Amino acid sequence: MRAYRGDLPKPDKQGRIRPVVGRGRDGKSQRFHVGNIRDTTQAECIKRLDAIRDLYDRQCAEHGIDFWANWALPWAHRLAKGTPAKAHFTDYAKANPGQAAEELSLIYKLQSWGCPIQIVENEPQVSGQEFLRKQIEQEVTKAVKHTMDNLGANWGEDTVQAVTQAIPEDFSRAETKTFHQAIDDYSKHLEKIGKRDEDGNLVSGVRKRRDRLKYLKREHEDIPLWRLDYAKIDEIVAFWKNRPPSKRQARCSWEHAHDMCKEFFRLAAWLDKSPSYRWEEPKDAARISKAPVRLQSDNGTGAFQTTQKETYTPDELAILVRHADPLGRAIIGVCVNCAFGASEIGQWPTTKMVLHHEHPHAAKIGWNTTCKDSWIVGNRPKTEVYGEHLLWPEVAEIPKRLSGKIPREIEAFHAAR
C-alpha cells in the first residue's frame, strides 16, 4: 500500500497541519503534525510530509507490509518536526558500544533509503562503528578459517597453503570488488567528465580511451581487486609491453602498446583515489617501465613510409569511383583532395564545408581567390589544430551535381555518429 500523495490538508482550529500518512498496525489512520501556519512555511510542511511518505512507502516495500512498523514510526514523527531529523543515541548506547552499533545500523539503513537523518553525536557513532568493524573482522576470519579447513581436508594442508599465500591476513579490509567492475566504473566516469564537442558528443580522445578500457577487460581475467598487487600489475603491463597480436597484424604497433600501458596506469591512479574502492596502488608500482619493446620490423617506418603501404593507383581509384554511390564518390574525392584517412573523414561535419566562397582574409595573406573557390576549414578533430583545405573544382562540384546540396546520405551519416 503506497502513501496517498495529495496536497497538504487544511489546518485545524489551532492552525496545526496534520496530514494522514498510512495506518498503524491496528488499522487506524496515522496522523502527523508537520507544522503550524503561524510558524511553519508551506514549503517546509511539504518537505516534511514528502519525507514521511517516502519512508512509509520504502518500509512497506522492504518488509511487505501495509502499515507502520513499530521501529519506523518514531522516526516518522521525528521527520514531522523537521528535516533532516536529528539522530540522538540513547543513554544506554552512549555507555554500551554494542547498543550504539545496533542503533547506528538502523540509522544507516534509513539513510540508505534516502531518509534525511543527521547524526549529531560523534562518540557513540565512533564506538558503534568500531564495534561493527570488530564484529565483521571476527565473522570474516571465522568464515575464511572454516573454508580453509574444508579445503585442507579435501586437498591437503600443504596444497592449500601453497596456492593461498597471497590471501591478505586481514581479509575484512580487502577490496572484494573486481577488476572488470572497476574498469566499467572508470569508463562511466570518463563518460561523465569527458570533454565533449559542440554537438554534445564525447571527443575522439575520450572515446579512444574508453575503447582501450574495453581491450583491458577483454584481454585480462576478472579478479578481486585485492589480488591486483605489484606482481599482477607487472604482469599486465608486461603483456602490453611485449606488443600482443592484433586483429590486423602479427604484433600491435608500438604506439598502441604504449597507449594501453598508459591507460592502465590511469585506471590504477583513479582507483587509488576513488572513495568507492578500498584499493591502494602498491609501493613502487608507478616505477614499472611502460616502454614497449622495439621490433626489427619497426625500422621500416619513417621517411617515405608511404611507399611501404598498400595504396590504390589512379586507375584503380577511377574504377572504384565509377562503381561507388554518390556518398562513396564524395568521400573518396574529399579524402584524396585533403589527404584524409577513415578517422578524419568520419569526424569532419559538413558544416565545415564552405562551397563557392572567396577566402575571407585573402588580402591579408596575399591569396588570389575568387567566389569559385571551395574550402573545408576548422580545427582538426584529434589535435584541435586549425586547418584549411582548398577543394579541387571537381570535388567541389559533387554537391552541385547532386541537386545542388550536400546529399542527404552525408547528413544522415554524420547525424548517426
Side-chain angles (χ1 to χ4, degrees):
M1 176 180 175
R2 292 182 59 82
Y4 172 66
R5 294 279 171 169
D7 297 330
L8 287 173
K10 293 182 179 179
D12 61 15
K13 293 181 180 179
Q14 288 78 36
R16 298 175 302 178
I17 301 176
R18 303 178 67 239
V20 172
V21 180
R23 58 184 180 180
R25 186 181 290 270
D26 58 3
K28 295 182 180 179
S29 298
Q30 185 65 51
R31 287 189 179 275
F32 296 90
H33 180 190
V34 298
N36 193 295
I37 58 173
R38 298 185 180 90
D39 54 23
T40 313
T41 65
Q42 183 180 22
E44 177 62 24
C45 290
I46 293 174
K47 185 178 178 181
R48 297 175 184 181
L49 178 56
D50 285 342
I52 296 171
R53 286 169 171 169
D54 290 341
L55 175 58
Y56 181 73
D57 289 343
R58 187 61 185 265
Q59 60 105 51
C60 285
E62 291 288 335
H63 297 287
I65 57 178
D66 60 354
F67 52 84
W68 281 104
N70 290 336
W71 65 269
L73 188 56
W75 287 101
H77 283 294
R78 291 192 192 186
L79 292 172
K81 296 178 181 179
T83 57
K86 306 297 182 181
H88 296 276
F89 291 88
T90 63
D91 292 338
Y92 182 50
K94 294 175 183 179
N96 189 306
Q99 180 63 25
E102 186 175 331
E103 295 181 14
L104 184 64
S105 63
L106 181 59
I107 294 172
Y108 285 160
K109 174 183 283 190
L110 291 169
Q111 289 177 333
S112 71
W113 288 356
C115 193
I117 296 178
Q118 180 182 358
I119 300 175
V120 295
E121 296 166 304
N122 187 53
E123 267 189 50
Q125 181 182 7
V126 172
S127 65
Q129 287 176 334
E130 182 63 19
F131 182 88
L132 288 171
R133 186 185 67 79
K134 290 181 178 178
Q135 287 290 105
I136 292 172
E137 288 181 352
Q138 291 174 7
E139 292 299 321
V140 170
T141 301
K142 188 188 301 182
V144 171
K145 184 179 184 304
H146 177 71
T147 302
M148 297 292 286
D149 289 343
N150 287 341
L151 290 174
N154 294 330
W155 300 97
E157 291 293 339
D158 294 339
T159 301
V160 173
Q161 289 299 326
V163 297
T164 58
Q165 292 178 357
I167 292 180
E169 294 182 5
D170 187 359
F171 205 93
S172 63
R173 297 179 183 272
E175 179 55 82
T176 56
K177 293 178 184 177
T178 69
F179 183 49
H180 286 187
Q181 185 177 351
I183 291 174
D184 291 339
D185 288 345
Y186 185 47
S187 181
K188 293 175 183 176
H189 172 72
L190 290 180
E191 183 179 14
K192 185 182 298 184
I193 60 97
K195 183 179 178 181
R196 296 180 180 272
D197 59 21
E198 296 177 355
D199 298 323
N201 300 316
L202 289 172
V203 298
S204 174
V206 180
R207 295 201 306 272
K208 288 181 178 179
R209 290 185 61 187
R210 297 185 74 203
D211 286 341
R212 295 184 196 115
L213 292 173
K214 293 178 183 178
Y215 303 151
L216 282 174
K217 187 174 179 180
R218 182 186 67 196
E219 298 293 347
H220 300 288
E221 63 177 329
D222 193 19
I223 58 174
L225 282 175
W226 62 262
R227 284 185 54 199
L228 190 63
D229 53 13
Y230 181 94
K232 191 64 178 179
I233 291 175
D234 195 22
E235 176 187 323
I236 292 175
V237 174
F239 174 85
W240 294 105
K241 283 167 53 178
N242 285 314
R243 296 168 60 174
S246 67
K247 292 182 178 180
R248 297 182 180 179
Q249 58 193 50
R251 302 281 284 277
C252 71
S253 68
W254 187 95
E255 290 77 11
H256 177 67
H258 177 266
D259 289 341
M260 289 301 303
C261 291
K262 186 177 179 180
E263 200 61 52
F264 172 72
F265 277 101
R266 281 173 169 171
L267 168 64
W270 177 80
L271 273 175
D272 184 71
K273 294 179 175 60
S274 175
S276 302
Y277 285 87
R278 295 176 297 172
W279 184 86
E280 294 182 3
E281 187 173 298
K283 182 181 178 181
D284 295 333
R287 297 185 180 181
I288 296 176
S289 172
K290 309 172 186 62
V293 298
R294 292 286 186 180
L295 304 176
Q296 188 174 1
S297 58
D298 297 338
N299 298 329
T301 61
F304 305 108
Q305 59 180 304
T306 53
T307 60
Q308 301 176 21
K309 292 184 177 180
E310 292 186 11
T311 58
Y312 292 107
T313 65
D315 291 337
E316 290 172 335
L317 274 179
I319 295 173
L320 290 174
V321 170
R322 190 159 56 246
H323 292 279
D325 60 12
L327 176 59
R329 289 195 291 272
I331 290 175
I332 292 174
V334 173
C335 284
V336 175
N337 188 157
C338 304
F340 283 172
S343 176
E344 289 173 305
I345 191 63
Q347 295 180 66
W348 280 86
T350 55
T351 54
K352 294 185 178 181
M353 297 181 182
V354 182
L355 302 178
H356 310 302
H357 196 286
E358 67 277 5
H359 196 289
H361 307 295
K364 186 175 181 180
I365 65 177
W367 184 269
N368 184 19
T369 179
T370 69
C371 61
K372 294 181 179 180
D373 293 331
S374 297
W375 316 80
I376 291 181
V377 296
N379 295 340
R380 298 183 73 87
K382 182 177 180 180
T383 63
E384 294 294 327
V385 175
Y386 178 78
E388 298 179 353
H389 304 272
L390 176 63
L391 296 179
W392 299 329
E394 295 83 0
V395 175
E397 287 298 315
I398 293 177
K400 185 177 180 180
R401 291 198 299 269
L402 297 172
S403 303
K405 61 181 180 179
I406 299 295
R408 294 179 180 178
E409 297 98 320
I410 297 180
E411 299 293 351
F413 173 76
H414 286 289
R417 287 188 59 81

